[in-house]
């Protein structure tokens, strides 16, 4: 596969070679991949955002149908390029063909799903309060409002989803669907995958004669290029998926801007799994197997990986631990995504194992090979007091390790919930009787978690209307928003209200005739009816 | 009127006198009002937030009907206290009985409006994606989500709305409606009005046997007490209405927290009014009168005060300026809200008038009396170049002053729109032909303003479904949210998603039977239907 390693600035591959060179690494072999990429310069970042600001003026005025057609073409151009992208993505990430093919399916479905959403059109949340010219003491004006795009969005892709949360991942697709140009900061661990995907984006942009500034792809191994993008005055919003450290740096950078802008960062989450007594008694075997599968899925490199098990001391819990230990013992370590993640995991695990209150309950049978960036699979154990007093144990450990917090008595489960940080998910394994007895646990979890899973496991997020992949800090920067699911488009829009606006000047969605036949809230009533002035 | 000047900490008036004493001032006479208030201590702030966190656990579980009944009682207890509150509010603010009585009406209507909203119940945005157990390759789980309250909210009231944006203003009422306890930081310019209103809140809280931590009122003249509230780990959100400086300080304080929390600050806005040529030709007289009324309403102390006029040079514009000058010349200066605002206005006006590119076109005929905190009414004029290059002219000047930016040619109107900062409103005076010719102006204004007003004036905000009282920074901290209108409740909630949750454990709003008969989105379709599992 011949790549050129260049930056895409406002729709053009830059020909000059000015930035610092870097190469991606094959995580399995440790060998550097052939293509030399160059980091983008500050000037390129400035141009990309400035041009995005210019492109916004026309891109946001495209009709929903035109934007939908663009997204559908994008799905096609990515699909045409899929085999090449998949082959390269495996070289750069070692995620395996099967997993990557599943991810590609989701990646191609996403633009189609959002095309459907914006073609239908009701998502803009049109509201119409009719005027009352005769109201006393003053007439009531007519007010209409709808969601409109914010402007250029910077997207920082994730290393663990090189397709579905990267160049044409949810963030980019939502931004395009809303009418926002995108500047992608390519993840340095899979720059080639990014380049190949970006080629598909340009094809779609050219096919629809959109301005070049609609899309840029900038490379960078260090944080400077990201900071240059984030500091640019024309930028309107930031989307990020990755570590707490990386996300917080972007939050801080936005807060330090002259004009702060919204940062939608999906960061660190412990995703506790609560094993309630009856469920453990009745379904120990299937819970153990399900837990093992969830823990090791994607080699533990999921934001919803179950990092903590919480259960009340009992003989059945010992049997459960033995069963999990057996499964882990038979498993072989797998290669992690890149050196940074491997190092972070090794250090976190080393520090957790060094905690005097922590016991190692299970480890993968074969020793991991650090040269191949392999991760040991681990089940650790501690008690509530030690967990509560050890900051290291209370935060996300990104990889296939989980820690069992063994409780001495039932009420400790509420103390755990009270003390835990915000999390993307929490999981309850409970019979109907368990769930009734521990109802207070659910109540405590509701304000702390974005999604509560019952008798299942947190890995794998459905893309739907009810999806909420969010949660209070440190799980995300803004717990009210979701980075996955239909509602994720709401991150990149804000309402505009029109007071006493003549019909001719109103956006199509708000006109009396309701030409798009969308659902609107008229005087508070949800309806598709037209308005007779 | 006998007041005690104490802090209300978690429902109890504190008896100790530990904080620093301060008194409010009658802005007209300059005399200190009798009651000595004491600033809250850091310990009191800590207790207030801690107790709010505890109260949250039970307050959030009240049914919508129970919360609605509480809000209705609150409307009654405030109404009972209304005369006493109004009399004291006039002493502290000099806003006049008529204006304050109108504001009181809005203040009492608001809890009733939100009681109605939460009783009806559909606002929680319930979503249900039904499971597909037979889906390949993996079954689709059932997902349901709804909005839930965030936790304790700190409310920093505004000095210019001592009733409707203060102790029981929109922020407090929305927070209560959502299920969030409230800690109000009383505005030091009207502490007595705050105390009297807080008495009404306690009555309602006692009548409904709610925990004391549901509400606190803390006094403080300096910023320390506000910072103590904002830094408290149990705080979940901040609402503020006031100056850019004050709002930005809260944004920065939140960004510096270990766990940043959302800040909803409504800050500085220039609210430009564009006079398009034909409208000026046809309706000069009524526009001049409307503009004068809007400029001087509430003595210019509205966040939507029209701070900038934009018009293309023409003889008719001269006539317009003459007419406005005539109206201003006949007007008498009025007392401002407090020393701080009067000082800020005087300094801003002094600096603007000192700008060599600025001409004074009109000033109120009688000289203002600084001892009575009177504000001169002013119309200034400059050109686009000078306006663009003078930061002082481009930001909000809080008071009854406006600056005309006289354009040399039509296209300069687009340059103005391109260069202006985010604003709560923009107003267009245009005939149908004007609006067609200057369509690009509207397009440029959409991403920069929360509300576009046609052939009217920006002061006065309707409380409705379509209301958006927001706008990009510096108008607000988060342009996607509104601080006035039905949607303002969305600031204090975030979705919780339930995956494969048994019906018995689901919140009432998400149960199969839909017992509250609310509108829900089921598999993407909006319906009140029940679900047959």
């Amino acid at each position: 596969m011949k790549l050129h390693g260049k930056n895409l600035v406002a729709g053009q591959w830059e020909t000059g070679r000015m930035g610092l060179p870097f190469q991606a690494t094959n995580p399995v072999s440790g060998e550097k991949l052939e293509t030399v990429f160059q980091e983008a310069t500050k000037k390129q970042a400035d141009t990309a955002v400035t041009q995005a600001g210019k492109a916004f003026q026309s891109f946001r005025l495209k009709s929903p149908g035109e934007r939908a057609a663009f997204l559908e073409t994008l799905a096609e151009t990515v699909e045409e390029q899929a085999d090449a992208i998949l082959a390269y993505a495996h070289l750069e990430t070692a995620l395996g063909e099967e997993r990557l093919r599943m991810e590609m399916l989701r990646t191609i479905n996403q633009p189609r799903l959002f095309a459907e959403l914006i073609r239908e059109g009701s998502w803009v949340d049109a509201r119409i309060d009719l005027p009352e010219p005769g109201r006393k003491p003053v007439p009531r004006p007519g007010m209409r409002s709808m969601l409109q795009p914010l402007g250029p969005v910077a997207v920082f892709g994730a290393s663990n989803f090189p397709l579905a949360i990267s160049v044409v991942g949810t963030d980019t697709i939502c931004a395009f669907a809303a009418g926002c140009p995108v500047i992608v900061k390519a993840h340095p661990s899979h720059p080639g995958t990014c380049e190949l995907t970006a080629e598909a984006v340009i094809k779609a942009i050219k096919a629809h004669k959109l301005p070049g500034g609609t899309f840029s792809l900038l490379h960078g191994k260090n944080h400077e290029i990201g900071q240059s993008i984030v500091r640019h005055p024309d930028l309107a919003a930031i989307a990020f998926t990755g570590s707490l450290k990386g996300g917080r740096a972007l939050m801080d950078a936005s807060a330090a801007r002259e004009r702060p802008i919204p940062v939608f960062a999906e960061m660190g989450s412990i995703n506790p799994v609560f094993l309630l007594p009856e469920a453990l008694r009745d379904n120990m075997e299937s819970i153990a197997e399900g837990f093992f599968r969830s823990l090791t899925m994607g080699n533990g490199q999921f934001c919803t990986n179950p990092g903590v098990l919480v259960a009340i001391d009992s003989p059945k819990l010992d049997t459960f631990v033995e069963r999990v230990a057996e499964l882990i013992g038979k498993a072989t370590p797998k290669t992690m995504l890149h050196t940074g993640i491997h190092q972070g995991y090794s250090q976190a695990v080393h520090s957790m194992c060094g905690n005097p209150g922590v016991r190692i309950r299970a480890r993968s049978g074969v020793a991991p090979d650090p040269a191949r960036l392999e991760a040991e699979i681990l089940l650790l154990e501690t008690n509530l007091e030690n967990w509560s007093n050890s900051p290291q144990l209370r935060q996300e450990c990104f990889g296939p390790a989980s820690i069992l917090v063994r409780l001495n008595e039932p009420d400790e489960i509420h103390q755990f919930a009270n003390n835990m940080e915000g999390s993307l998910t929490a999981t309850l394994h409970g019979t109907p009787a368990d769930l009734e007895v521990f109802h207070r646990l659910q109540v405590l979890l509701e304000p702390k978690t974005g999604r509560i899973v019952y008798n299942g496991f947190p890995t794998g997020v459905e893309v739907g209307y009810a999806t909420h992949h969010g949660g209070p800090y440190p799980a995300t920067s803004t717990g009210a928003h979701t980075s996955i699911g239909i509602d994720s488009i709401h991150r990149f829009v804000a309402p505009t209200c029109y007071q006493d606006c003549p019909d001719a000047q109103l956006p199509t969605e708000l006109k009396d005739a309701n030409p798009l036949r969308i659902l609107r809230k008229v005087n508070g009533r949800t309806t598709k009816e037209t308005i007779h002035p």
Side-chain angles (χ1 to χ4, degrees), chain A:
Chain A
M1 178 62 54
K2 191 77 189 152
L3 299 176
H4 49 58
K6 301 209 169 74
N7 291 285
L8 179 78
V9 180
Q12 297 289 330
W13 292 107
E14 292 272 290
T15 48
R17 282 209 164 265
M18 290 174 299
L20 289 173
F22 72 99
Q23 284 163 274
T25 305
N26 179 323
V28 179
S29 66
E31 282 167 33
K32 288 203 166 168
L33 295 170
E34 188 189 357
T35 308
V36 177
F37 288 84
Q38 54 181 334
E39 294 194 296
T41 59
K42 182 178 178 306
K43 186 159 167 265
Q44 288 172 329
D46 283 348
T47 308
V49 185
T50 304
Q51 291 303 317
K54 290 190 177 154
F56 177 56
Q57 300 299 340
S58 59
F59 187 52
R60 64 179 283 266
L61 297 180
K62 296 283 168 197
S63 71
E66 287 169 317
R67 287 207 308 279
F70 165 57
L71 289 175
E72 284 157 352
T73 303
L74 182 55
E76 278 168 35
T77 56
V78 173
E79 204 162 22
E80 282 161 21
Q81 190 91 317
D83 286 342
I85 296 173
L86 285 172
Y88 213 89
H90 179 61
L91 277 183
E92 289 183 326
T93 66
L95 280 173
E97 194 189 322
E98 192 196 350
R99 149 70 202 274
L100 286 169
R101 205 163 279 283
M102 285 289 287
E103 194 182 327
M104 178 59 89
L105 274 181
R106 176 172 150 194
T107 309
I108 295 166
N109 279 340
Q110 215 135 244
R112 291 184 173 139
L113 179 72
F114 281 93
E116 207 180 305
L117 183 80
I118 62 176
R119 229 187 253 289
E120 193 282 326
S122 301
W123 76 275
V124 299
D125 200 11
R127 290 158 190 240
I128 299 177
D129 295 338
L130 296 171
E132 293 174 37
R135 191 184 67 172
K136 302 287 171 202
V138 285
R140 182 182 175 91
M143 309 267 280
R144 304 189 183 202
S145 74
M146 65 175 280
L147 299 173
Q148 304 255 25
L150 293 182
V153 173
V155 171
F156 292 78
S159 68
N160 60 342
F161 281 87
L163 312 172
I165 313 184
S166 186
V167 177
V168 291
T170 325
D171 300 329
T172 299
I173 297 305
C174 283
F176 282 162
C180 300
V182 170
I183 303 101
V184 173
K185 160 66 180 63
H187 200 285
S189 68
H190 55 262
T193 309
C194 290
E195 178 182 318
L196 290 167
T197 317
E199 291 279 15
V201 181
I202 306 180
K203 263 191 206 161
I205 282 182
K206 286 193 174 148
H208 290 265
K209 300 193 171 53
L210 296 174
T214 310
F215 183 73
S216 290
L217 175 78
L218 303 176
H219 292 290
K221 247 185 114 77
N222 65 42
H223 299 308
E224 273 167 44
I225 186 68
Q227 290 286 336
S228 296
I229 300 170
V230 166
R231 286 193 196 116
H232 196 289
D234 294 351
L235 196 69
I238 298 163
F240 167 87
T241 305
S243 69
L244 176 56
K245 198 180 149 198
R248 181 68 190 244
L250 291 174
M251 291 171 72
D252 292 344
S254 169
R257 283 171 56 106
E258 190 188 327
R259 276 183 289 237
I261 54 176
V263 178
F264 303 102
E266 198 259 78
M267 306 182 291
S269 181
I270 61 166
N271 306 300
V273 175
F274 297 87
L275 308 177
L276 301 180
E278 274 199 7
L280 193 60
R281 185 195 67 197
D282 297 353
N283 310 312
M284 185 280 287
E285 182 71 26
S286 70
I287 299 175
E289 283 166 15
F291 170 74
F292 170 75
R293 265 198 309 277
S294 184
L295 174 69
T296 53
M297 191 179 280
N299 203 15
Q301 299 164 117
F302 279 135
C303 39
T304 52
N305 192 59
V308 181
L309 274 169
V310 187
I312 302 151
D313 190 27
S314 77
K316 201 72 186 185
L317 181 58
D318 293 325
T319 327
F320 170 84
V321 170
E322 279 162 29
R323 180 68 187 117
V324 172
E326 195 184 328
L327 292 164
I328 290 179
K330 282 187 210 154
T332 45
K334 300 222 162 31
T335 296
M336 296 195 95
L337 283 156
H338 57 81
T339 323
I341 282 187
H342 182 258
Q343 260 178 11
Y345 180 69
S346 307
Q347 283 164 4
V349 155
H350 185 259
S351 149
M352 287 165 86
C353 293
N355 182 310
V358 169
R359 286 202 296 159
I360 298 173
R361 297 306 308 262
R363 57 205 319 170
S364 31
V366 186
D369 178 356
R372 293 168 58 91
L373 305 187
E374 285 176 354
E376 183 163 36
I377 307 165
L378 279 168
L379 179 65
L380 310 177
E381 185 181 319
T382 192
N383 60 28
L384 181 62
E385 195 191 346
N386 187 50
W387 179 82
S388 302
N389 297 327
S390 308
Q392 171 77 56
L393 306 180
R394 291 158 46 83
Q395 52 187 260
E396 184 184 61
C397 167
F398 197 74
S402 191
I403 184 161
L404 166 65
V405 179
R406 189 184 290 255
L407 309 176
N408 294 315
E409 43 167 324
D411 191 53
E412 284 191 353
I413 214 163
H414 304 123
Q415 292 175 45
F416 180 94
N418 265 324
N419 288 341
M420 68 178 256
E421 299 286 326
S423 180
L424 290 169
T425 71
T427 299
L428 301 181
H429 280 273
T431 61
D434 278 332
L435 295 175
E436 212 177 301
V437 170
F438 289 93
H439 178 66
R440 210 181 123 212
L441 174 61
Q442 172 180 323
V443 167
L444 291 172
L445 290 173
E446 280 168 340
K448 293 213 168 184
T449 49
R451 176 167 56 112
I452 306 180
V453 181
Y454 295 78
N455 297 310
F457 289 94
T459 39
V461 185
E462 281 301 321
V463 177
Y465 289 95
T467 304
H468 184 63
H469 191 60
Y473 189 93
T476 73
S477 53
T478 57
H481 289 89
T482 180
S483 58
I484 296 180
I486 306 280
D487 242 31
S488 53
I489 192 173
H490 280 95
R491 293 173 296 168
F492 307 128
V493 290
T496 305
C497 174
Y498 302 82
Q499 180 171 326
D500 286 335
C501 182
D503 203 61
Q505 264 62 45
L506 281 169
T508 315
E509 289 84 346
L510 296 176
K511 285 187 191 295
D512 283 345
N514 194 10
L516 303 177
R517 312 298 302 152
I518 59 174
L519 271 181
R520 312 191 288 189
K521 201 175 261 177
V522 179
N523 284 356
R525 198 171 58 87
T526 304
T527 172
K528 288 192 177 181
E529 286 166 19
T530 59
I531 287 160
H532 304 286

